[in-house]
Amino acid sequence: TQELNYDNIPNIVNLNPALRDPDFDKGRAHTLPWQGGFAGICWNKEAIPGGLASVADLWNSELKGRVGVLSEMRDTMGLIMLENGVDISGEWGDAEYTEAIEILREQVESGQVRNIKGNSYLEDLKSEDTLAAICWSGDITVINAEAGDKWEFAIPTAGGTLWNDNFLVPIGSPRKANAEALMNFYYDPEVAAEVAAWVNFITPVAGAKEAAIAIDPELAENQLIFPNEETLSNAHIFRSLSGAEEQKYQAQFQSILLGA
């Protein structure tokens, strides 16, 4: 990736201070956050009126064959590891990961988990092929708006994952200044508030909540879009992996996907 020229991104002053120094890009020399969100659990409120509280609840026998999990390794494995009491932001290694992998393998091989998918998991919720899933927060707001208010999202009691997609400019791109202009546009708080209203994910832009109040006061209080410290305290960032760890852990996870 190319190093960003902050002179072309004056609105970078609006970057949320909590996101300014990630371990994968100290000082944000090469990346800026686009949108963030939580991975947690969701369920069909009509089919499961009592709701769910934990990842372990997904393994209840009455849900056999009606559970979905994400094909994003860090979110699915992160939630299972959190359920096991692992601090996914801290120090852990092969033993903790393997223990979680075996839990997932058991649930897939037993038929408890119906599918492992990316964004297309929403179609399975709509068709009711799955009644509960590991899912992304903003998606549930969207599916409720599109297909009826039938689904509930929650951060599990043991914690959820917190992720961010990022802007970056690949090496060799001749349009770096254009990309930086686009980043600057999206870091205007009023623009960021409009984006948040549409995509329903967490904005990285300070001042966007205040701008959102003018659009929709209820939106500004939505903890899945503008989370407070209490909400964030139960969300965890999956620690950065070394190249060797990435290869090894992804291979273990993919072996389950291929067998699903």
Side-chain angles (χ1 to χ4, degrees), residues 47-52 56-67 107 111-113 128-132:
I48 312 173
L52 304 175
D57 289 342
L58 295 174
W59 317 144
N60 291 342
S61 58
E62 58 266 28
L63 291 177
K64 185 170 184 176
R66 310 295 291 279
V67 174
Q107 301 305 328
Q112 181 75 18
V113 171
E128 299 189 6
D129 284 346
T130 55
L131 298 177

Side-chain angles (χ1 to χ4, degrees), residues 181-235:
L182 188 67
M183 295 178 204
N184 191 62
F185 171 76
Y186 280 120
Y187 267 71
D188 179 298
E190 291 189 1
V191 174
E194 289 187 51
V195 173
W198 278 97
V199 302
N200 296 286
F201 282 105
I202 301 170
T203 176
V205 180
K209 178 176 181 178
E210 290 72 18
I213 292 173
I215 299 174
D216 180 355
E218 188 175 338
L219 171 76
E221 295 305 316
N222 187 326
Q223 288 300 297
L224 302 182
I225 302 174
F226 298 103
N228 59 26
E229 288 302 315
E230 181 180 357
T231 300
L232 289 172
S233 70
N234 204 27

